[in-house]
Amino acid sequence: MRLLLIADTHVPKRARDLPGGVWDEVLGADVVIHAGDWVEPALLDALDARAKRLVACWGNNDGAELRQRLPERADVTLEGLRFTVVHETGAATGREARMSREYPDTDVLVFGHSHIPWDTTAKTGLRLLNPGSPTDRRRQPHCTYMTAMARNGTLSDVVLHRLDRRA
């Protein structure tokens, strides 16, 4: 199962739309995971229409309509892996231990908020992934997103993709 992980798209505030390469990834993914900060419902509608399956939550920049349509925390099992999708996880210091306590029944935690890519594994085995942002690099050298494969209870081929776009 091919996964596309994105977060912090901030459309249309930071960009008018997702970069074309990300839309290409949407079409090739079995599941698109979005970890919040959409800003406007139009992107949710577009992703929902184009993605084979969308798993998503709202973020701190998302208003009432997005919060009515999306959960604060999305949980899904894909290929035997238990995923949790949230927007915020707090400070980077101590994140693995804190999230392991908060999500003891999760195998993969996908989060956003910082726009800083993150890929670590806690001592408990919890994999923490932040794909960064495909539209707003902030203090990062590139805009980013992630792809991964889920198969038979294993997450593999996690790749951080850098975009030329300097939003």
Side-chain angles (χ1 to χ4, degrees):
M1 177 176 287
R2 184 167 172 78
L3 309 175
L4 169 62
L5 287 64
I6 57 177
D8 298 290
T9 47
H10 294 269
V11 171
K13 302 260 180 181
R14 300 286 185 217
R16 286 192 296 247
D17 197 2
L18 293 178
V22 175
W23 280 118
D24 291 344
E25 293 282 2
V26 168
L27 297 177
D30 296 302
V31 180
V32 176
I33 298 175
H34 191 302
D37 270 5
W38 304 75
V39 179
E40 296 290 335
L43 181 60
L44 172 58
D45 294 335
L47 264 178
D48 199 33
R50 294 183 190 175
K52 291 179 185 109
R53 183 173 182 185
L54 178 62
V55 176
C57 67
W58 55 261
N60 63 301
N61 282 293
D62 297 329
E65 183 177 344
L66 286 161
R67 290 176 188 223
Q68 287 174 346
R69 294 175 61 185
L70 295 167
E72 182 176 11
R73 170 186 172 170
D75 292 285
V76 64
T77 299
L78 303 170
E79 283 290 315
L81 288 166
R82 299 163 301 183
F83 285 79
T84 296
V85 184
V86 297
H87 186 62
E88 295 187 52
T89 59
T93 303
R95 179 176 283 145
E96 288 87 358
R98 198 173 56 251
M99 294 302 101
S100 290
R101 286 190 303 273
E102 193 163 335
Y103 303 105
D105 297 323
T106 296
D107 299 310
V108 182
L109 178 66
V110 180
F111 65 100
H113 188 61
S114 67
H115 299 217
I116 299 170
W118 187 279
D119 181 355
T120 59
T121 303
K123 290 178 184 177
T124 61
L126 174 67
R127 183 84 175 257
L128 295 94
L129 299 172
N130 182 331
S133 170
T135 58
D136 185 14
R137 67 184 177 94
R138 280 197 188 156
R139 295 171 300 280
Q140 300 305 300
H142 302 279
C143 291
T144 57
Y145 65 93
M146 286 179 170
T147 56
M149 294 295 294
R151 185 179 300 119
N152 297 325
T154 301
L155 187 71
S156 65
D157 304 313
V158 176
V159 177
L160 178 69
H161 300 269
R162 294 181 176 134
L163 296 161
D164 289 334
R165 171 191 195 102
R166 294 195 181 250

